[in-house]
Amino acid sequence: MTSIHIIVFLPLLAALVAGLGQRFIGAVASKTITTAGLFTASLLSWPIFIGFLNGSETAYVAPVMNWVQSGDLSFDWELRVDALTAVMLVVITTVSALVHLYSWGYMEEDPDQPRFFAYLSLFTFAMLMLVTANNLVQMFFGWEGVGLASYLLIGFWYKKPSANAAAIKAFVVNRVGDLGFMLGIFGVFWLFGTVSIPEILAAAPDKVGSSVGFLGLRVDTMSLLCILLFIGAMGKSAQLGLHTWLPDAMEGPTPVSALIHAATMVTAGVFMVCRLSPLFETSQFALNVVTIVGATTAIFAATVGLVQTDIKRVIAYSTCSQLGYMFFAAGSGAYGAAMFHLFTHAFFKALLFLGAGSVIHAMHHEQDMRYYGGLRKHIPLTFWAMMAGTLAITGVGIVGVGGLAGFYSKDAIIEAAFASNSTYHMYAFAIGVVAALLTSFYSWRLMFLTFFGTPRWAQSEHIQHAMHDHADHDEPAHESDGHDHAAHTHDAHGEGTGGYHPHESPLSMLIPLGVLTLGAVFAGFAFHGGFIEAETGKAFWANSTLFFNEHLMHAMHEVPLWVKLSSTVAMLTGLIVAYLMYQQSKDAPQRLASAFAPLYRFFLNKWYFDELYNAVFIRPAFWFGRLFWKQGDIGIIDRFGPNGSAAVVSFGSKLAVKLQSGYLYTYALVMLLGLVSAVSWMMVRT
C-alpha cells in the first residue's frame, strides 16, 4: 500500500467507523477518528505536491483493482497521481482537515456530531476519488459521490424545512448538469472506444474536423462533446443557469459551506475542464462558450452579492463569482492561471467562510450583517482573520513588488484574458475588471457592517432571545439590585448592544483560522512560479494532462502597465466607495437603493432566475404531475385497474350471496336453466 492509497481510503474508513459505530464509540471517538484521518491524509499530500514543484516527483498510476470488463468497455480502478492531482490533494485534504477541527467547536452542542463528521469524511473521500480518476467512469463515480454527500450535508438539519428544500434543490439542479456530463462520457466512448483519460487526450487531435448528427443537425463532434462535458461542470461549479442551488446551500452548517463552496465540490468542474484541457483545445467554439459563461457568471454573482445582507450569502455569491474567473481563464487558454486561482481561493475563501462562522457563533447565530457593527474590539482574532481574507480576495498588493494570494492569481487571470488571442478575450478582461471592483466593494461592505461603526445588536431577535434567556436565568440571583440592573440595561441599549457581550471562538475554531490566514497571505507569493511562470510552470505542468500555453504566459507578463494596474485601481475604487457609503454616511445606501429601485430589486431578486425557473419548469412540472396523478393514476389506472377489479369482485360476491338462498328448489331451477342453455348451444352448433 502506497501513500496515495492511504490518502484516498483513510477518509472512507474513518467515515464508516464514525457513521456505523457511533453508538458504540461515542461522539468524541467519532470526531477524533475522522479528524485524525484527515490530518494524516493532509500530511501525506503535501510532500507529493512539493515533490512535483521541485521536480523530484513524476506522474504515475497506482492500481487498486480490476473493475469492469464488458465487451469493448474495459477499465480498472486506478489512482492517477500527477501535478494536477497533487494540487487538488493538498487543497481537499488541508481544507477538510481544518474544517473537521473547526467543527469540534462549532458543532459542540449538536447531538448528531458523529453523523456530521462521518458525512464530512465521506464527502472528502468522494472528492479524492474524483481527482485521482484515470478514466471517465471513475471520475463520474466520484462526481456522483460528491453530489450525494453534499445532499446529506446541506440537509444535515433535516428537521428545518428550508434545509430540506435547499438539499433537494442542490440535488435536482446538479442532476441536470450530471445528465450533460453523462451524455458527454457516452459520446466520448462512442468516438474514441475507450474511457481512459490518457488515451482519449492522446487521440483527440486526430478527431478534429469530424461531424455528427445531433437533434436533426450536423455539428462538430469535438464541440458537441466538450459542450456536454462543460454542462456537467456548470452544475457542479454553479455557473450561470445552473447556479441557483449554491446560495440556498448556506442552510447547512457553516463548516459545510467552507468545505463544499470554498475548495472542493464547486471546484470539481474547473478541475474537470483542466484535466481534459487538451480535449477542449480541439474546439474553439467550446472554449468561447466556457469564456462567455464564466465571465457572465462572474458579473452576475458580483452584482447580486452587492445587495445581500446575510453574511454567508455574500461569501457564497463571491464564490460563484470567483468560479467565473476560473472558467473564463480556462476559456482564454490560461489553464495554469485557473488552477492557481483555485488553489489560492481555497485558502482565503475557506478563511472567509470559517471567519463568518466565528462571527455567527459570537452573535448567537445571527447572520444578518445589519445587526452587527463594532465587533472588532470584542472578537479581535476573528476580525484579523477576516481582514486577511478580505485583503486576499480583493487582490491587495503592489505591482512589481508583491501582495496577498488574490493579487497573484486573480490579477494573472485578468492579464491572461487581455493577452489571449481567443475570440471573446476582451469581454472576459472587461468583465474581470468590473467584477474586481464589485468584489472589493461588497467585501469591504461586509467588513464595515460587521466590525466597524456602532453596535446594532439590540435590533436582532437572536440577541434579544439570548438576553431574555440570560435574564430569566439570572433574575432570582439579582432580585435585590433591580434598579442597578435596569440602569445598566438602559445604558446598554443606548449603545446598541442590548446588554449582549460577544465572545471569541474556542481554540479549535481559531487554529484553522490562523492556518488559513497564513495561506491567504503567503500562498500566492510562495507558489505562483510553479503555476503561472512560463519556464517553471511548463516544467511543473509537464507532469500532468493540463495544457500549458507557455506563449500565453509570456504574453501575460508583457501586457501594458495600465492593464496590470487595472485590478488594483478597481480594488481601491471599491474600497473607497464602500468606506464613503458605510462609514462616512448613514443613509447613502438607502438613498442609492431608492434612486435606483428597479435595478436594486433586479439584483435583490437574483436577476429573477428563481422566478423564471418557477414559471417555466416548476409550475408546469407540478401541473403535469397533478394531471397524471388525478386523471391518469386515480381516474384511469386505479379506476379500471385495482379499484375496477375490486368493484367487479364485490358485485359478483353480492350477486352470489343473493343466489345462494339455501332452498333446494332454487338450486334445481339454476341447474335446469344451465342444462337448457347447454342443450340449446349444442343444437345451434349442429
Side-chain angles (χ1 to χ4, degrees):
M1 179 176 291
T2 63
S3 61
I4 188 62
H5 291 95
I6 298 174
I7 293 170
V8 172
F9 291 105
L10 190 58
L12 175 63
L13 179 61
L16 293 174
V17 172
L20 301 178
Q22 56 180 294
R23 294 186 178 181
F24 305 100
I25 63 176
V28 175
S30 297
K31 295 190 293 184
T32 302
I33 291 170
T34 52
T35 305
L38 263 298
F39 271 97
T40 302
S42 180
L43 292 174
L44 293 174
S45 297
W46 276 95
I48 297 175
F49 174 63
I50 299 299
F52 280 106
L53 275 178
N54 61 28
S56 61
E57 282 275 5
T58 55
Y60 63 93
V61 175
V64 177
M65 60 179 290
N66 296 329
W67 201 357
V68 172
Q69 180 68 54
S70 178
D72 295 333
L73 179 62
S74 175
F75 54 88
D76 296 331
W77 189 345
E78 301 172 322
L79 305 179
R80 180 178 183 84
V81 182
D82 59 13
L84 192 57
T85 306
V87 173
M88 297 304 295
L89 287 180
V90 296
V91 166
I92 296 167
T93 58
T94 302
V95 173
S96 183
L98 294 174
V99 166
H100 275 72
L101 179 59
Y102 181 93
S103 300
W104 277 66
Y106 193 87
M107 303 294 290
E108 185 179 8
E109 298 179 358
D110 197 286
D112 297 318
Q113 293 179 70
R115 178 167 63 91
F116 180 75
F117 280 81
Y119 288 170
L120 289 180
S121 293
L122 179 64
F123 179 95
T124 306
F125 163 73
M127 198 63 204
L128 291 171
M129 283 296 302
L130 192 158
V131 301
T132 56
N134 199 39
N135 62 76
L136 291 177
V137 178
Q138 185 182 330
M139 183 180 287
F140 189 76
F141 173 76
W143 197 271
E144 293 301 294
V146 167
L148 168 65
S150 68
Y151 171 80
L152 296 173
L153 285 168
I154 294 169
F156 177 76
W157 288 321
Y158 57 88
K159 294 181 180 180
K160 290 175 57 181
S162 58
N164 275 327
I168 293 171
K169 190 175 185 179
F171 188 83
V172 171
V173 173
N174 272 276
R175 295 295 74 73
V176 176
D178 293 351
L179 176 61
F181 189 35
M182 186 170 57
L183 292 175
I185 294 174
F186 292 160
V188 167
F189 178 71
W190 164 79
L191 183 64
F192 294 94
T194 180
V195 292
S196 171
I197 293 175
E199 294 179 16
I200 293 167
L201 299 183
D206 297 333
K207 304 296 183 180
V208 176
S210 63
S211 61
V212 64
F214 183 74
L215 300 178
L217 302 173
R218 202 71 186 174
V219 298
D220 180 70
T221 307
M222 301 308 294
S223 296
L224 174 63
L225 295 181
C226 290
I227 293 298
L228 289 173
L229 293 170
F230 179 61
I231 291 173
M234 288 175 63
K236 274 292 181 287
S237 297
Q239 294 300 281
L240 193 66
L242 297 178
H243 68 280
T244 54
W245 66 271
L246 187 141
D248 291 342
M250 297 301 105
E251 290 292 336
T254 299
V256 172
S257 303
L259 185 61
I260 294 180
H261 305 104
T264 50
M265 177 176 168
V266 295
T267 61
V270 180
F271 165 80
M272 185 266 286
V273 171
C274 291
R275 171 67 82 196
L276 303 178
S277 53
L279 192 69
F280 279 82
E281 283 294 312
T282 62
S283 171
Q284 186 58 49
F285 176 79
L287 290 176
N288 291 340
V289 172
V290 174
T291 302
I292 293 172
V293 171
T296 309
T297 302
I299 193 66
F300 155 76
T303 57
V304 177
L306 295 175
V307 298
Q308 299 298 307
T309 56
D310 186 302
I311 188 172
K312 288 172 64 176
R313 287 183 177 263
V314 173
I315 304 172
Y317 279 106
S318 173
T319 298
C320 190
S321 182
Q322 299 307 307
L323 289 166
Y325 274 94
M326 300 174 202
F327 275 112
F328 80 68
S332 302
Y335 301 100
M339 288 302 302
F340 188 36
H341 197 50
L342 185 156
F343 181 78
T344 61
H345 177 266
F347 292 103
F348 60 70
K349 187 52 59 71
L351 175 61
L352 289 171
F353 268 120
L354 296 185
S358 184
V359 173
I360 295 169
H361 185 267
M363 294 299 289
H364 201 70
H365 309 294
E366 178 60 69
Q367 296 183 193
D368 196 324
M369 298 184 300
R370 293 172 297 181
Y371 306 134
Y372 290 166
L375 286 175
R376 71 182 187 279
K377 296 180 180 179
H378 299 270
I379 46 174
L381 297 178
T382 300
F383 163 71
W384 285 111
M386 292 284 286
M387 178 62 75
T390 301
L391 294 173
I393 192 174
T394 56
V396 172
I398 301 174
V399 175
V401 179
L404 279 76
F407 173 78
Y408 289 93
S409 59
K410 188 163 67 176
D411 285 26
I413 290 175
I414 293 174
E415 293 165 14
F418 182 89
S420 174
N421 58 2
S422 63
T423 310
Y424 297 96
H425 73 106
M426 289 306 297
Y427 171 72
F429 166 74
I431 291 295
V433 175
V434 175
L437 188 154
L438 299 180
T439 300
S440 177
F441 175 83
Y442 65 66
S443 296
W444 287 110
R445 170 178 175 263
L446 185 153
M447 293 296 295
F448 291 139
L449 285 175
T450 303
F451 296 104
F452 294 88
T454 57
R456 301 176 299 278
W457 315 339
Q459 304 173 34
S460 168
E461 292 185 7
H462 292 274
I463 300 299
Q464 292 175 12
H465 289 164
M467 296 309 300
H468 178 73
D469 295 340
H470 179 73
D472 288 345
H473 179 75
D474 290 347
E475 187 175 358
H478 296 84
E479 289 178 349
S480 62
D481 60 346
H483 178 75
D484 294 336
H485 177 73
H488 174 74
T489 303
H490 177 75
D491 293 339
H493 277 277
E495 297 172 358
T497 66
Y500 184 72
H501 300 284
H503 51 88
E504 191 63 91
S505 299
L507 192 62
S508 61
M509 295 173 62
L510 294 176
I511 291 175
L513 292 180
V515 176
L516 291 170
T517 298
L518 294 175
V521 174
F522 299 109
F525 171 78
F527 300 111
H528 73 277
F531 282 86
I532 59 175
E533 297 298 331
E535 286 75 21
T536 53
K538 181 181 180 181
F540 176 63
W541 293 117
N543 277 298
S544 76
T545 62
L546 183 139
F547 177 82
F548 186 75
N549 192 334
E550 187 179 359
H551 174 73
L552 178 58
M553 295 299 100
H554 277 296
M556 178 186 75
H557 294 294
E558 296 172 359
V559 297
L561 180 61
W562 70 269
V563 174
K564 296 182 178 181
L565 292 174
S566 59
S567 58
T568 301
V569 172
M571 178 272 296
L572 292 173
T573 303
L575 168 60
I576 293 170
V577 173
Y579 176 78
L580 293 175
M581 290 184 64
Y582 293 96
Q583 290 295 105
Q584 296 297 303
S585 176
K586 294 184 179 180
D587 61 345
Q590 289 78 9
R591 287 190 286 107
L592 194 64
S594 300
F596 298 95
L599 188 62
Y600 174 78
R601 286 194 298 270
F602 183 68
F603 292 162
L604 188 63
N605 288 281
K606 299 163 287 188
W607 292 23
Y608 293 101
F609 268 98
D610 285 336
E611 289 79 3
L612 176 64
Y613 287 176
N614 187 57
V616 176
F617 298 113
I618 298 175
R619 288 183 180 177
F622 274 101
W623 182 83
F624 276 110
R626 286 191 293 269
L627 176 66
F628 287 120
W629 168 42
K630 294 183 178 180
Q631 304 299 325
D633 191 19
I634 297 176
I636 298 175
I637 297 175
D638 286 350
R639 182 181 180 184
F640 296 102
N643 294 343
S645 301
V648 171
V649 172
S650 177
F651 175 78
S653 300
K654 292 178 180 178
L655 183 62
V657 168
K658 292 181 179 180
L659 292 175
Q660 294 178 4
S661 62
Y663 294 104
L664 183 61
Y665 65 81
T666 302
Y667 299 144
L669 177 62
V670 173
M671 293 174 64
L672 179 61
L673 292 174
L675 181 61
V676 171
S677 299
V679 172
S680 301
W681 181 73
M682 292 297 294
M683 292 176 62
V684 171
R685 285 199 63 183
T686 55

